[in-house]
Amino acid sequence: MPSDPPTAGGSQTMINQRALSQYKTVNVDAGVAAASPHRLVQMLMAGALTRMAEARGALARHDRAAYGEAVGKAISVVGGLREGLNLELDNPLVNNLDGLYDYMQRRLTEANLSPDDAILDELSGLLRTVKEGWDGIADQVG
């Protein structure tokens, strides 16, 4: 006897969304496992920019919960960038990046407490500038 098809399209949609989410997780995990340290930093920067864009979208929709979640994730990703710095080098570039990431985390925290699109725009611009420089040296390090 054949099994009954899923009820309304809603439950099939939920199943498809879960499958897609699991696929994306596996795909990202595989990409991370194969990535060079330089590529990992690129991925983190892209992730932070994506989270800030998601926060701006949530702010425009007046979705406070999604906004807070996206900003919280952006704070975590920037924290990951900061943790990846080798401060023992006592290199001016590393020290400047540490200061920038610290500033970004503090400003993101401010934006989370008092939603502000201008802060997100400012930080996205700063991170895009750093990412462009990082992307520009890919051939030299990889």
Side-chain angles (χ1 to χ4, degrees), residues 72-136:
K73 287 179 180 179
I75 292 169
S76 294
V77 175
V78 172
L81 286 166
R82 191 171 182 206
E83 289 170 11
L85 296 173
N86 185 353
L87 297 174
E88 293 176 9
L89 292 177
D90 196 32
N91 179 301
L93 177 60
V94 172
N95 294 334
N96 288 341
L97 285 172
D98 182 53
L100 176 65
Y101 295 151
D102 175 61
Y103 172 77
M104 291 179 74
Q105 285 183 298
R106 286 184 287 114
R107 292 289 284 162
L108 283 165
T109 300
E110 289 174 31
N112 203 18
L113 295 173
S114 182
D116 188 342
D117 194 46
I119 293 173
L120 296 173
D121 284 341
E122 172 200 6
L123 299 178
S124 294
L126 290 170
L127 190 55
R128 270 193 304 275
T129 299
V130 174
K131 186 175 183 318
E132 287 170 7
W134 194 254
D135 292 346

Side-chain angles (χ1 to χ4, degrees), residues 4-19:
D4 292 334
T7 57
S11 57
Q12 185 62 44
T13 300
M14 286 177 52
I15 291 168
N16 290 345
Q17 287 174 342
R18 264 184 290 180

